[in-house]
Amino acid sequence: QVQLVESGGGLVQPGGSLRLSCAASESIFIFYAMGWYRQAPGKQRELVAGITSGGAITDYADSVKGRFTISRDNAKNTLYLQMNSLKPEDTAVYYCNRKVVYWDWGQGTQVTVSS
């Protein structure tokens, strides 16, 4: 089974930026569309960005459109999320995974946006 390890989170001020990474353990990663998800305390996990297997097409939740950019490097089995103009409401644990059909969830990486 593919293992997913998220990293790059941290504490940032509103308006700041972070770049998250998601490392997949197996090269089968390259065949699947992937997404970044987030879950804030007391809320459902939501998809914030998706990307096709080859990286040609991306989509974003309205809440992050224009601020976040998803990308992938299939040679490195790695997914990225560049987050700019961060807002307090972006505070959540961020996860990567396949879309619709999931591998086991990783630990996620905490993003906290606060002054």
Side-chain angles (χ1 to χ4, degrees):
Q1 185 73 354
V2 176
Q3 293 179 292
L4 301 166
V5 180
E6 299 91 349
S7 62
L11 174 64
V12 297
Q13 297 184 92
S17 297
L18 284 173
R19 183 175 174 85
L20 307 184
S21 297
C22 167
S25 65
E26 305 289 343
S27 61
I28 196 172
F29 164 90
I30 69 176
F31 297 110
Y32 297 99
M34 297 291 294
W36 281 99
Y37 304 79
R38 68 185 182 189
Q39 187 168 27
K43 297 183 178 180
Q44 295 183 175
R45 183 162 50 216
E46 63 172 336
L47 176 69
V48 299
I51 188 167
T52 53
S53 60
I57 303 172
T58 58
D59 62 273
Y60 302 90
D62 288 343
S63 60
V64 307
K65 193 171 297 181
R67 299 187 297 118
F68 291 10
T69 303
I70 188 171
S71 61
R72 66 195 296 165
D73 186 342
N74 283 344
K76 298 179 179 179
N77 294 336
T78 302
L79 185 73
Y80 303 99
L81 185 68
Q82 178 67 46
M83 305 187 296
N84 299 324
S85 302
L86 284 161
K87 304 175 180 179
E89 50 263 47
D90 294 319
T91 296
V93 178
Y94 284 71
Y95 304 87
C96 63
N97 216 319
R98 287 174 60 182
K99 297 176 67 177
V100 181
V101 176
Y102 306 123
W103 289 314
D104 288 345
W105 294 93
Q107 293 291 101
T109 185
Q110 176 72 50
V111 172
T112 302
V113 185
S114 176
S115 60

